[in-house]
């Protein structure tokens, strides 16, 4: 395992331990709102601080782009951090949340770590070196079409409900062509599941870079494809993403494309 992945794993595990220590006291947590139905807790902030502290001790020159603290320091070699992806789930003791870290050099994602503290499953990836679950190589599913496919998604929120009509049209198309759709509430974990073949594909509107950075690398390193809704590489900027094994990705994109508004094509 690459040294940067090792330090990312240490940071993710430290954050995960903190998250789990607070789990039985979740109703006493201080919770504030970043927007409608978008919450942040003191656990999010402490977990992000723990991640930054762990990495900074080993790599003091690295910068950070954190969900809670924004951009800090070096903007050429930096970590993209989601300290608790699935905060709403966590607040309801719904067991789908994770820690997500990605290391970037000049905009290129080089390493990714996604840690599920509930199951203690650890997903890792390095560019050109594949993706792993608990140290074992993983691959996207071998599903050849949408028939029988299980697809992950996330419902539009944080202002992106402006695209709700378009999303629902996509949803109707996808559910009619597949074995089912799952909405667990943690995009990073969903993307890791695509990489591991547990989901055949995934799409969502309005995500942030820290939601997708590590998972995108994992899917690609596991043999899958990721694009924005128009088939390009603008998902880090737009937050609109489609991923899956190559055949499912292509089929899913074809179903979604006719329902894109002009705003979603940008």
């Amino acid at each position: 395992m690459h040294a940067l992945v090792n330090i990312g794993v240490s940071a993710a595990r430290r954050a995960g331990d903190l998250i789990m220590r607070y789990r039985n006291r979740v109703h006493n947590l201080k919770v504030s709102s970043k927007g409608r139905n978008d919450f942040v807790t003191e656990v999010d902030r402490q977990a992000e601080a723990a991640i930054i502290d762990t990495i900074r001790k080993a790599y003091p020159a690295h910068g950070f782009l954190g969900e809670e603290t924004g951009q800090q320091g070096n903007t050429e070699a930096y970590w993209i951090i989601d300290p608790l992806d699935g905060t709403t789930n966590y607040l309801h003791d719904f067991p789908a949340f994770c820690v997500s870290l990605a290391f970037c050099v000049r905009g290129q994602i080089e390493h990714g770590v996604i840690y599920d503290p509930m199951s203690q499953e650890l997903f890792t990836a390095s560019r050109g070196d594949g993706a792993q679950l608990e140290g074992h190589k993983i691959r996207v599913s071998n599903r050849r079409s949408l028939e029988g496919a299980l697809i992950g998604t996330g419902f539009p929120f944080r202002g992106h409900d402006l695209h709700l009509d378009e999303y629902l049209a996509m949803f109707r198309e996808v559910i009619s062509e597949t074995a089912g759709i799952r909405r667990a509430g943690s995009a990073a974990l969903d993307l890791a599941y695509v990489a591991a073949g547990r989901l055949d594909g995934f799409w969502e509107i309005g995500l942030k870079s820290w939601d997708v950075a590590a998972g995108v690398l994992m899917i690609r390193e596991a043999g899958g494809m990721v694009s924005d809704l128009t088939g390009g590489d603008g998902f880090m900027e737009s937050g609109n993403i489609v991923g899956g094994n190559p055949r499912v990705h292509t089929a899913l994109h074809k179903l979604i494309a006719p329902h894109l508004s002009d705003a979603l094509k940008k």
Side-chain angles (χ1 to χ4, degrees), residues 149-165:
L150 186 63
I151 306 297
T153 190
F155 304 143
F157 74 113
R158 283 191 301 210
H160 293 279
D161 51 1
L162 294 173
H163 306 303
L164 186 59
D165 289 342

Side-chain angles (χ1 to χ4, degrees), residues 42-124:
E42 57 191 290
V43 174
D44 296 74
R45 297 189 178 101
Q46 288 185 33
E48 186 163 304
I51 290 166
I52 292 172
D53 177 68
T54 301
I55 294 172
R56 189 169 273 158
K57 285 176 179 175
Y59 297 99
H62 286 180
F64 302 93
L65 174 60
E67 180 176 9
E68 310 309 333
T69 55
Q71 187 82 52
Q72 301 180 47
N74 192 333
T75 57
E76 293 222 335
Y78 62 97
W79 294 80
I80 301 177
I81 303 169
D82 194 337
L84 177 52
D85 186 52
T87 299
T88 300
N89 285 349
Y90 181 71
L91 288 171
H92 289 80
D93 202 26
F94 187 86
F97 47 84
C98 69
V99 181
S100 179
L101 309 176
F103 180 68
C104 296
V105 177
R106 292 183 290 277
Q108 178 76 57
I109 305 168
E110 296 289 340
H111 306 286
V113 175
I114 294 175
Y115 177 56
D116 178 349
M118 283 291 294
S119 67
Q120 298 187 3
E121 286 190 321
L122 178 69
F123 300 83
T124 58

Side-chain angles (χ1 to χ4, degrees), residues 6 10 16 24 85-86 94 108 116 120 126-127 150 161 166 178 180 182 201 211 215 228-229 241 251-252:
N6 276 329
S10 295
N24 292 329
D85 186 52
F94 187 86
Q108 178 76 57
D116 178 349
Q120 298 187 3
S126 293
R127 189 164 68 92
L150 186 63
D161 51 1
E166 293 88 345
T178 63
R182 299 292 182 266
D211 297 317
D228 59 25
L229 299 183
I241 190 168
L252 195 55

Side-chain angles (χ1 to χ4, degrees), residues 1 5 9 13 112 114 120-126 129-140 192-198 218 221-223:
M1 190 180 292
V5 176
V9 168
R13 288 193 186 277
I114 294 175
Q120 298 187 3
E121 286 190 321
L122 178 69
F123 300 83
T124 58
S126 293
D129 197 34
Q132 299 83 34
L133 168 57
E134 296 297 321
H136 300 286
K137 290 279 188 181
I138 52 175
R139 298 289 293 176
V140 293
Y193 280 13
V194 173
R198 295 174 178 175
M218 287 178 190
E221 289 297 320

Side-chain angles (χ1 to χ4, degrees), residues 172-198:
R172 281 192 295 269
E173 291 274 12
V174 174
I175 204 167
S176 68
E177 298 289 334
T178 63
I181 295 175
R182 299 292 182 266
R183 197 278 188 182
S186 171
L189 205 52
D190 285 338
L191 294 172
Y193 280 13
V194 173
R198 295 174 178 175

Side-chain angles (χ1 to χ4, degrees), residues 203-223:
W203 96 100
E204 189 166 350
I205 295 170
L207 293 168
K208 299 295 185 182
S209 58
W210 44 78
D211 297 317
V212 303
V216 162
L217 180 64
M218 287 178 190
I219 290 174
R220 288 177 166 173
E221 289 297 320

